[in-house]
Amino acid sequence: MMISDPITQGLASAWQHLDGALQQDAQHLECDVLIVGSGAGGGMCAQVLAEAGLAVILVEQGPLKSSQDFKLQERYAYPDLYQESAARKTKDKAIRIFQGRCVGGSTTVNWTTSLRTPEPTLQHWQQHWGLSPLSGAALAPYFAKAEQMLNIQPWLNHNPNNALLAKGCEKLNWSYQSIPRNVKQCWDLGYCGMGCPTNAKQSMLVTAIPAALNAGARILSRFSVERLLIKQQQLQGASLQALDAKLRPSGITVTVRARQVVLAAGAIGSPAVLLRSKVPDPYQLVGKRTFLHPSVMSGALFTQTVNSHQGAPQSVYSDHFVWQDGAEGECGYKMEVPPVHPILLATTLSGFGHFHQQLMARYPHLQVTIALLRDGFHPDSPGGTVQLREDGSPVLDYPLHEFMWRGARRALLSMAELQFAAGARRVFPLHEQARLYRSWSEAKQAIASLPMQALATRLASAHVMGGCAMGGDERSSLVDHQGQYRWLSGLTVIDGSVFPTSLGANPQLTIYALALRNAELLVKRLRG
C-alpha cells in the first residue's frame, strides 16, 4: 500500500517552514497569533485560527519529522522525539515522565487512546472551580467534532496484552470497556510510541498542522521560547532562541511580534515560559497544582506467548476503581496496559543482576498492567510545582503524600489479583523489594507489607496536566474558562496546563475539544 506523506508533499509545495538548525541570522517576524507548542492544543488551535483567515505562526521546540523518519527503533525514537530523550523525571527522580518534543508534540508519539472527559470530573470542576460553562452537554459538540476530524472509534481487535486485562476483569466481574483510538487504516503494528510509519495515527502531525499550513500558517521548528515580550501589561510577542540539530541553543534569536500569543507548550512547558517571562502573578499560582496520574505497574508471566509489543498498544481499560469512593474520596485508579518494548522494559523493571536478566529473558511471555492514580481532587493530593533550573529549563517537584501512597498500594493489589485471575503463573509488582509471587494469596500478603516510598515503588506518567489552572476565582486560577490569562492582555493558554485537576482519563481528547472551543472563542474576540 502506498503511504501518503503530507509532510514531504507540503514542504515540496508552498508551506512556509523555518528550521532553527538552519538559521543563520536574526530575524523579526510578525503575525496575528503566535502559537507556542504544536501538540494537541497548539495543533488544533492553529487549524482553527488559520482557516479563519488569521496570520498564524506555530513554533515548536522539537524537529519536524515525517513518517519516512520513523524507524520503529527505540534508540532513534526516544532522543529524536521525546523530552529529555524519554528520561525526563520529577525533581526527586521518583517518577519518569514521557512527553513528546517534536512537531505534533505528544500526539506524534502517544498510544492513540482517545477518551472523553469523565462526567464526575466535569461536575467537580463546576462545583469546586467555578467552571459552570464546561458541562458535559456544552462540550459534547466539540467532542463529537474532534472525534469526526480524527476518526476516533472504539478499537475491537485486542492484542494478547489487552485481552488479558479484559479476561481478568471478566473473571472478577469488574467493569471494562474498549478504547476509542484516533487511527485510520491502521496496520496494527504496535509501535505508536516511536512515531507512526504509515500515517495511520491521526495525530496533529498529519491532520490539523497540515491543514493549518495549507491555510497559510507558518511553522518554526527547533526554536525555543526564551521569554514573552511584555509592555504595560500588554503582551506583544515573544523572543525565540534557535536550536541546533542536537537541540542546543545556537545563539541566534528570532523576535515575533503578535497581536495575541497562545501558550500551548504543555503542562510543564507553558508554566516554564511564564516563569522565565516573569509574568504578573499576584497569587503565585504559575506552575502550582501540576498533576501526573502517577502510575504504578505490575508485571505478570504467562505460560503462553503474549508479545506485548505487537498490536494496538491500548484497546481495553477498566474504570472499576476510578470513582468507587466518589470524586473527593480515596484515590481512585484507572487500569490500562502499556506496550512493552525492550529498552522501555529494561529501564523500568525493578531489581538487579540475575533477577533482572531472568525477567528480560522471558520478555515474550510478559504482560504488564498499569494503574493511573487520579490526583488533584482531594485536599491531600495537591500535585506538584513546576520550577526553573539555573539554566532556565523546567523541572517538576512532585512529592507524594500518604493519600497517594494508599492509592498506590490498593492499585498494586488490584492488578495482582487481576493478573492471577487472567491465568498468570507469576506476578511481580514493580517495586525494589518485590519478588515473583506464585499465587494471589502470596502476592496479597507481600504487597500489604511493601514500603510505599519514592524510588522504591516504580512510578511513571505520560499525562501531565495543570500548572496554569482555569477557574472562576482569581485567587485560585490563572485563566478563565476561555483560557484568557487574567493579568495580561493578549495571552491565552490552550493546552492541558489549564486543567484544575487531573482528569481520571487519558487527556488527549479533552485537550482537542477544549482547543476547538477556545480557539473559536478567540477568533470571535480578535474580530471584535
Side-chain angles (χ1 to χ4, degrees), residues 139-174:
L139 289 177
Y142 299 101
F143 286 126
K145 186 174 182 179
E147 288 163 349
Q148 188 274 329
M149 291 171 67
L150 306 176
N151 203 49
I152 293 171
Q153 299 178 39
W155 187 262
L156 304 178
N157 183 24
H158 307 313
N159 70 5
N161 198 21
N162 283 274
L164 287 168
L165 172 59
K167 181 179 179 181
C169 286
E170 286 178 354
K171 291 280 187 181
L172 296 167
N173 200 27
W174 294 352

Side-chain angles (χ1 to χ4, degrees), residues 90-95 296 397-402 404-405 408 430-433 450-459:
T90 50
K91 191 173 184 177
D92 63 359
K93 315 295 185 191
I95 309 175
V296 288
D397 184 22
Y398 194 102
L400 285 160
H401 304 287
E402 178 57 29
M404 297 296 288
W405 287 125
L430 266 63
H431 186 289
E432 291 300 336
Q433 296 184 25
L450 288 175
M452 291 292 108
Q453 297 173 345
L455 302 176
T457 309
R458 288 296 172 96
L459 292 158

Side-chain angles (χ1 to χ4, degrees), residues 267-472:
I268 291 178
S270 288
V273 171
L274 296 177
L275 290 169
R276 284 199 297 272
S277 306
K278 296 181 170 50
V279 297
D281 178 19
Y283 296 100
Q284 300 296 295
L285 298 175
V286 173
K288 304 284 178 57
R289 292 188 61 81
T290 302
F291 302 105
L292 286 175
H293 287 154
S295 302
V296 288
M297 298 156 275
S298 183
L301 293 171
F302 286 80
T303 302
Q304 71 272 28
T305 299
V306 180
N307 284 337
S308 299
H309 61 289
Q310 296 178 350
Q314 292 187 324
S315 61
V316 174
Y317 71 98
S318 173
D319 275 358
H320 192 81
F321 296 100
V322 180
W323 308 105
Q324 204 167 55
D325 295 316
E328 291 85 36
E330 281 293 306
C331 181
Y333 45 93
K334 181 186 196 71
M335 290 190 291
E336 299 176 340
V337 304
V340 181
H341 294 278
I343 294 176
L344 186 65
L345 175 64
T347 55
T348 306
L349 268 179
S350 53
F352 302 95
H354 182 69
F355 178 78
H356 191 279
Q357 186 271 332
Q358 288 296 303
L359 287 177
M360 290 300 296
R362 303 199 64 186
Y363 165 72
H365 296 268
L366 178 65
Q367 194 268 352
V368 176
T369 300
I370 57 176
L372 290 62
L373 303 174
R374 179 174 55 80
D375 44 350
F377 292 79
H378 190 279
D380 292 339
S381 173
T385 301
V386 175
Q387 302 171 350
L388 296 180
R389 302 185 181 97
E390 288 186 0
D391 66 355
S393 64
V395 63
L396 176 61
D397 184 22
Y398 194 102
L400 285 160
H401 304 287
E402 178 57 29
F403 175 83
M404 297 296 288
W405 287 125
R406 288 201 303 272
R409 190 187 303 278
R410 288 188 291 111
L412 287 173
L413 286 165
S414 294
M415 290 189 290
E417 184 178 10
L418 178 140
Q419 289 168 319
F420 278 117
R425 310 303 296 174
R426 302 282 188 277
V427 167
F428 56 101
L430 266 63
H431 186 289
E432 291 300 336
Q433 296 184 25
R435 289 293 178 264
L436 291 167
Y437 303 124
R438 298 169 181 267
S439 67
W440 162 228
S441 60
E442 184 186 8
K444 185 177 182 180
Q445 184 176 9
I447 293 170
S449 62
L450 288 175
M452 291 292 108
Q453 297 173 345
L455 302 176
T457 309
R458 288 296 172 96
L459 292 158
S461 176
H463 303 165
V464 192
M465 302 153 283
C468 301
M470 63 179 166

